[in-house]
Amino acid sequence: MSDQKIIGILGGLGPAAGADLFHKIIEETVATCDQDHPAVALLSYADRIPDRATYIRDSSKPNPVLPMWDVLMHLQRVGASVASVPCITAHVSVIFGVLRDRLAAEGHGLRLLSMIEETVKYIQKQYPEIKKVGAISTWATKRNRLFEQALVGAGFEFLPPDDNVQDGVEAAIYDPQFGIKAISNPVHPQARENLLRSLRHLRKKGAEAVILGCTELPIGIPESDIEGVKTIDPTRALARALIHAVAPEKLR
Protein backbone atom coordinates (compact mmCIF):
# COMPACT_ATOMS: atom_id res chain seq x y z
CA MET A 1 0.00 0.00 0.00
CA SER A 2 1.15 3.54 -0.73
CA ASP A 3 0.92 6.41 1.72
CA GLN A 4 -2.05 7.79 -0.24
CA LYS A 5 -4.93 8.85 1.98
CA ILE A 6 -7.97 6.57 1.77
CA ILE A 7 -11.64 7.56 1.69
CA GLY A 8 -13.93 5.27 3.69
CA ILE A 9 -17.59 4.68 2.82
CA LEU A 10 -19.86 3.07 5.39
CA GLY A 11 -22.22 1.56 2.83
CA GLY A 12 -25.29 -0.62 2.89
CA LEU A 13 -27.65 2.12 4.11
CA GLY A 14 -28.94 1.24 1.50
CA PRO A 15 -26.59 -0.53 -0.87
CA ALA A 16 -27.49 1.62 -3.91
CA ALA A 17 -26.70 4.80 -1.97
CA GLY A 18 -23.18 3.62 -1.10
CA ALA A 19 -22.55 2.67 -4.72
CA ASP A 20 -23.92 6.04 -5.85
CA LEU A 21 -21.47 7.88 -3.59
CA PHE A 22 -18.56 5.85 -4.96
CA HIS A 23 -19.70 6.61 -8.52
CA LYS A 24 -19.89 10.34 -7.78
CA ILE A 25 -16.42 10.35 -6.22
CA ILE A 26 -15.19 9.02 -9.56
CA GLU A 27 -17.20 11.64 -11.48
CA GLU A 28 -15.92 14.53 -9.38
CA THR A 29 -12.25 13.56 -9.65
CA VAL A 30 -9.89 15.04 -12.22
CA ALA A 31 -8.14 11.98 -13.63
CA THR A 32 -6.60 10.79 -16.88
CA CYS A 33 -5.86 7.22 -15.78
CA ASP A 34 -6.87 4.71 -13.10
CA GLN A 35 -3.99 5.69 -10.85
CA ASP A 36 -5.12 9.32 -10.67
CA HIS A 37 -8.23 8.39 -8.66
CA PRO A 38 -8.23 8.55 -4.84
CA ALA A 39 -8.20 5.28 -2.94
CA VAL A 40 -11.67 4.36 -1.70
CA ALA A 41 -12.73 1.60 0.71
CA LEU A 42 -16.46 0.81 0.45
CA LEU A 43 -17.92 -1.64 2.95
CA SER A 44 -21.57 -2.49 2.29
CA TYR A 45 -22.79 -4.70 5.12
CA ALA A 46 -26.50 -4.09 4.65
CA ASP A 47 -27.52 -7.34 6.36
CA ARG A 48 -25.73 -6.34 9.60
CA ILE A 49 -27.15 -2.83 10.08
CA PRO A 50 -30.75 -2.47 11.33
CA ASP A 51 -33.08 0.08 9.74
CA ARG A 52 -32.31 3.57 10.98
CA ALA A 53 -35.82 5.03 10.74
CA THR A 54 -37.31 2.11 12.69
CA TYR A 55 -34.84 2.64 15.53
CA ILE A 56 -35.44 6.40 15.56
CA ARG A 57 -39.19 5.84 15.92
CA ASP A 58 -38.79 3.21 18.63
CA SER A 59 -35.54 2.94 20.60
CA SER A 60 -36.51 -0.54 21.79
CA LYS A 61 -35.90 -1.78 18.24
CA PRO A 62 -32.45 -3.00 17.11
CA ASN A 63 -29.86 -0.23 17.40
CA PRO A 64 -27.74 0.34 14.28
CA VAL A 65 -25.00 2.26 16.10
CA LEU A 66 -22.80 -0.67 17.21
CA PRO A 67 -22.65 -2.41 13.80
CA MET A 68 -22.02 0.96 12.16
CA TRP A 69 -19.18 1.56 14.63
CA ASP A 70 -17.71 -1.84 13.77
CA VAL A 71 -17.69 -0.91 10.08
CA LEU A 72 -16.00 2.43 10.84
CA MET A 73 -13.28 0.61 12.79
CA HIS A 74 -12.83 -1.81 9.90
CA LEU A 75 -12.43 1.17 7.55
CA GLN A 76 -9.87 2.69 9.89
CA ARG A 77 -7.92 -0.58 9.99
CA VAL A 78 -7.62 -0.63 6.20
CA GLY A 79 -6.24 2.91 6.31
CA ALA A 80 -9.17 5.29 5.88
CA SER A 81 -8.38 8.77 7.18
CA VAL A 82 -11.80 10.25 6.41
CA ALA A 83 -15.15 8.48 6.25
CA SER A 84 -18.79 9.07 5.49
CA VAL A 85 -22.22 7.55 6.03
CA PRO A 86 -24.30 7.94 2.85
CA CYS A 87 -27.61 7.78 4.70
CA ILE A 88 -29.18 11.07 5.70
CA THR A 89 -31.64 9.55 8.17
CA ALA A 90 -28.64 8.13 10.04
CA HIS A 91 -27.46 11.70 10.76
CA VAL A 92 -29.82 12.11 13.71
CA SER A 93 -27.98 12.74 16.97
CA VAL A 94 -28.82 9.32 18.47
CA ILE A 95 -26.89 7.68 15.63
CA PHE A 96 -24.45 10.02 13.89
CA GLY A 97 -23.84 12.16 16.96
CA VAL A 98 -23.02 9.07 19.02
CA LEU A 99 -20.53 7.86 16.41
CA ARG A 100 -18.81 11.24 16.09
CA ASP A 101 -18.63 11.72 19.86
CA ARG A 102 -17.11 8.28 20.37
CA LEU A 103 -14.50 8.87 17.67
CA ALA A 104 -13.48 12.09 19.43
CA ALA A 105 -13.60 10.64 22.95
CA GLU A 106 -11.43 7.66 22.06
CA GLY A 107 -8.95 9.74 20.09
CA HIS A 108 -9.36 8.03 16.74
CA GLY A 109 -7.72 9.74 13.78
CA LEU A 110 -10.66 8.95 11.50
CA ARG A 111 -12.69 12.04 10.49
CA LEU A 112 -16.40 11.50 9.94
CA LEU A 113 -17.94 14.02 7.55
CA SER A 114 -21.60 15.05 7.87
CA MET A 115 -23.78 15.00 4.75
CA ILE A 116 -25.98 17.69 6.31
CA GLU A 117 -23.10 20.08 6.94
CA GLU A 118 -21.50 19.45 3.56
CA THR A 119 -24.80 19.99 1.72
CA VAL A 120 -25.29 23.41 3.31
CA LYS A 121 -21.69 24.38 2.44
CA TYR A 122 -22.26 23.19 -1.13
CA ILE A 123 -25.35 25.37 -1.56
CA GLN A 124 -23.55 28.39 -0.11
CA LYS A 125 -20.64 27.94 -2.50
CA GLN A 126 -22.41 26.86 -5.68
CA TYR A 127 -25.58 28.96 -5.40
CA PRO A 128 -24.81 32.06 -3.29
CA GLU A 129 -27.87 33.86 -4.69
CA ILE A 130 -30.36 31.27 -3.38
CA LYS A 131 -32.23 32.10 -0.16
CA LYS A 132 -35.31 29.82 -0.12
CA VAL A 133 -34.57 26.11 0.09
CA GLY A 134 -36.92 23.15 0.37
CA ALA A 135 -36.11 19.54 1.17
CA ILE A 136 -37.72 16.19 0.49
CA SER A 137 -36.64 13.31 2.67
CA THR A 138 -37.81 10.46 4.87
CA TRP A 139 -40.34 11.21 7.59
CA ALA A 140 -37.57 10.59 10.16
CA THR A 141 -35.35 13.27 8.62
CA LYS A 142 -38.24 15.73 8.45
CA ARG A 143 -39.44 15.09 12.02
CA ASN A 144 -35.92 15.47 13.38
CA ARG A 145 -35.51 18.75 11.43
CA LEU A 146 -32.06 17.77 10.16
CA PHE A 147 -32.02 20.06 7.14
CA GLU A 148 -34.31 22.65 8.68
CA GLN A 149 -31.99 23.35 11.61
CA ALA A 150 -28.85 23.43 9.46
CA LEU A 151 -30.36 25.68 6.78
CA VAL A 152 -32.03 28.13 9.15
CA GLY A 153 -28.81 28.30 11.16
CA ALA A 154 -26.98 29.24 7.96
CA GLY A 155 -29.46 32.02 7.14
CA PHE A 156 -31.73 30.28 4.62
CA GLU A 157 -35.52 30.24 4.60
CA PHE A 158 -36.57 26.59 4.88
CA LEU A 159 -39.64 25.22 3.07
CA PRO A 160 -40.85 21.70 4.01
CA PRO A 161 -43.46 19.73 2.04
CA ASP A 162 -46.99 19.39 3.39
CA ASP A 163 -47.75 16.08 5.09
CA ASN A 164 -49.76 14.57 2.22
CA VAL A 165 -46.88 15.28 -0.16
CA GLN A 166 -44.41 13.91 2.38
CA ASP A 167 -46.34 10.63 2.39
CA GLY A 168 -45.75 10.37 -1.36
CA VAL A 169 -42.01 10.90 -0.90
CA GLU A 170 -41.92 8.20 1.77
CA ALA A 171 -43.67 5.80 -0.61
CA ALA A 172 -41.21 6.66 -3.38
CA ILE A 173 -38.42 5.50 -1.07
CA TYR A 174 -39.92 2.55 0.82
CA ASP A 175 -42.95 1.13 -1.02
CA PRO A 176 -42.23 -2.57 -1.67
CA GLN A 177 -43.91 -2.46 -5.07
CA PHE A 178 -42.37 0.68 -6.54
CA GLY A 179 -40.06 2.33 -4.00
CA ILE A 180 -36.43 3.05 -4.88
CA LYS A 181 -35.13 0.76 -2.13
CA ALA A 182 -36.94 -2.08 -3.93
CA ILE A 183 -36.48 -1.00 -7.57
CA SER A 184 -33.60 1.32 -8.41
CA ASN A 185 -32.39 0.41 -11.90
CA PRO A 186 -34.41 1.78 -13.51
CA VAL A 187 -36.47 3.68 -10.96
CA HIS A 188 -40.18 2.81 -11.14
CA PRO A 189 -42.29 5.47 -12.94
CA GLN A 190 -44.57 5.82 -9.89
CA ALA A 191 -41.64 6.63 -7.61
CA ARG A 192 -40.39 9.29 -10.01
CA GLU A 193 -43.86 10.78 -10.40
CA ASN A 194 -44.20 11.07 -6.60
CA LEU A 195 -40.87 12.91 -6.45
CA LEU A 196 -41.74 15.25 -9.32
CA ARG A 197 -45.02 16.07 -7.57
CA SER A 198 -43.11 17.00 -4.40
CA LEU A 199 -40.71 19.23 -6.33
CA ARG A 200 -43.57 21.07 -8.04
CA HIS A 201 -45.28 21.46 -4.68
CA LEU A 202 -42.20 23.10 -3.15
CA ARG A 203 -41.70 25.30 -6.20
CA LYS A 204 -45.23 26.64 -5.70
CA LYS A 205 -44.33 27.39 -2.08
CA GLY A 206 -41.43 29.52 -3.32
CA ALA A 207 -38.44 27.18 -3.22
CA GLU A 208 -35.54 28.22 -5.43
CA ALA A 209 -33.73 24.96 -4.71
CA VAL A 210 -34.81 21.60 -3.29
CA ILE A 211 -32.50 19.25 -1.43
CA LEU A 212 -32.95 15.60 -2.40
CA GLY A 213 -32.68 14.73 1.25
CA CYS A 214 -32.49 10.94 1.17
CA THR A 215 -29.63 9.16 -0.55
CA GLU A 216 -32.08 7.17 -2.69
CA LEU A 217 -33.67 10.31 -4.15
CA PRO A 218 -30.86 11.46 -6.52
CA ILE A 219 -31.17 8.04 -8.14
CA GLY A 220 -34.77 8.94 -9.00
CA ILE A 221 -34.06 12.60 -9.83
CA PRO A 222 -30.63 12.77 -11.50
CA GLU A 223 -31.30 16.17 -13.11
CA SER A 224 -29.69 19.26 -11.59
CA ASP A 225 -32.67 21.44 -12.53
CA ILE A 226 -36.36 20.52 -12.72
CA GLU A 227 -38.76 23.08 -14.17
CA GLY A 228 -36.66 26.00 -12.98
CA VAL A 229 -35.86 24.64 -9.52
CA LYS A 230 -32.31 23.64 -8.65
CA THR A 231 -32.07 20.13 -7.23
CA ILE A 232 -29.36 19.68 -4.61
CA ASP A 233 -27.75 16.25 -4.38
CA PRO A 234 -26.22 15.69 -0.92
CA THR A 235 -24.38 12.65 -2.23
CA ARG A 236 -22.52 14.78 -4.76
CA ALA A 237 -21.81 17.41 -2.11
CA LEU A 238 -20.38 14.69 0.13
CA ALA A 239 -18.34 13.18 -2.72
CA ARG A 240 -16.70 16.54 -3.37
CA ALA A 241 -15.97 17.06 0.34
CA LEU A 242 -14.36 13.62 0.62
CA ILE A 243 -12.12 14.26 -2.38
CA HIS A 244 -11.15 17.67 -0.97
CA ALA A 245 -10.25 16.02 2.34
CA VAL A 246 -7.72 13.62 0.79
CA ALA A 247 -6.62 15.20 -2.50
CA PRO A 248 -7.92 18.75 -3.03
CA GLU A 249 -5.87 19.14 -6.20
CA LYS A 250 -7.93 16.35 -7.80
CA LEU A 251 -11.34 17.96 -7.16
CA ARG A 252 -13.13 18.73 -10.41
Side-chain angles (χ1 to χ4, degrees):
M1 296 286 289
S2 72
D3 58 1
Q4 181 181 14
K5 293 180 180 178
I6 297 172
I7 293 170
I9 301 175
L10 198 171
L13 298 88
D20 189 42
L21 175 58
F22 195 175
H23 179 69
K24 284 167 181 167
I25 290 172
I26 295 169
E27 287 185 338
E28 295 293 335
T29 298
V30 176
T32 58
C33 63
D34 294 347
Q35 292 72 29
D36 286 344
H37 287 271
V40 178
L42 165 60
L43 294 179
S44 185
Y45 294 162
D47 60 331
R48 305 183 190 181
I49 302 174
D51 184 68
R52 284 64 60 198
T54 300
Y55 172 70
I56 294 164
R57 286 193 302 269
D58 182 355
S59 60
S60 70
K61 299 298 183 182
N63 188 336
V65 171
L66 184 56
M68 290 173 69
W69 175 261
D70 289 343
V71 176
L72 285 175
M73 292 299 96
H74 194 158
L75 290 168
Q76 183 172 255
R77 285 194 294 274
V78 301
S81 59
V82 62
S84 60
V85 182
C87 171
I88 292 167
T89 301
H91 281 66
V92 297
S93 60
V94 294
I95 299 176
F96 190 84
V98 171
L99 294 171
R100 250 194 178 175
D101 289 348
R102 184 173 176 183
L103 284 170
E106 296 184 8
H108 294 280
L110 182 64
R111 289 176 56 206
L112 186 59
L113 299 189
S114 162
M115 288 191 85
I116 308 295
E117 295 168 3
E118 298 305 333
T119 299
V120 174
K121 292 176 187 176
Y122 179 83
I123 298 171
Q124 290 173 320
K125 183 173 182 179
Q126 299 294 329
Y127 305 108
E129 75 283 2
I130 284 177
K131 302 301 180 187
K132 297 181 179 181
V133 181
I136 55 176
S137 65
T138 63
W139 264 113
T141 295
K142 182 181 179 184
R143 288 187 178 116
N144 283 275
R145 303 173 61 215
L146 295 182
F147 283 111
E148 179 181 355
Q149 291 177 337
L151 288 165
V152 171
F156 293 96
E157 180 179 344
F158 177 71
L159 301 169
D162 295 345
D163 286 355
N164 64 316
V165 176
Q166 176 65 41
D167 286 337
V169 176
E170 191 85 355
I173 299 166
Y174 288 110
D175 189 279
Q177 301 303 315
F178 64 82
I180 298 172
K181 282 188 178 290
I183 304 172
S184 61
N185 188 24
V187 169
H188 193 285
Q190 183 61 60
R192 181 166 166 87
E193 179 54 35
N194 285 16
L195 298 180
L196 290 174
R197 177 174 174 247
S198 68
L199 289 171
R200 292 172 183 136
H201 165 72
L202 288 172
R203 182 190 63 190
K204 289 180 180 178
K205 293 180 79 169
E208 301 164 277
V210 174
I211 296 170
L212 304 176
C214 170
T215 42
E216 269 74 30
L217 299 185
I219 301 170
I221 302 289
E223 299 93 334
S224 60
D225 187 295
I226 294 283
E227 300 176 10
V229 176
K230 301 294 183 185
T231 58
I232 308 300
D233 179 357
T235 303
R236 191 169 298 280
L238 180 60
R240 291 182 60 81
L242 289 165
I243 297 165
H244 187 268
V246 301
E249 73 282 0
K250 295 182 179 181
L251 182 60
R252 189 172 297 281

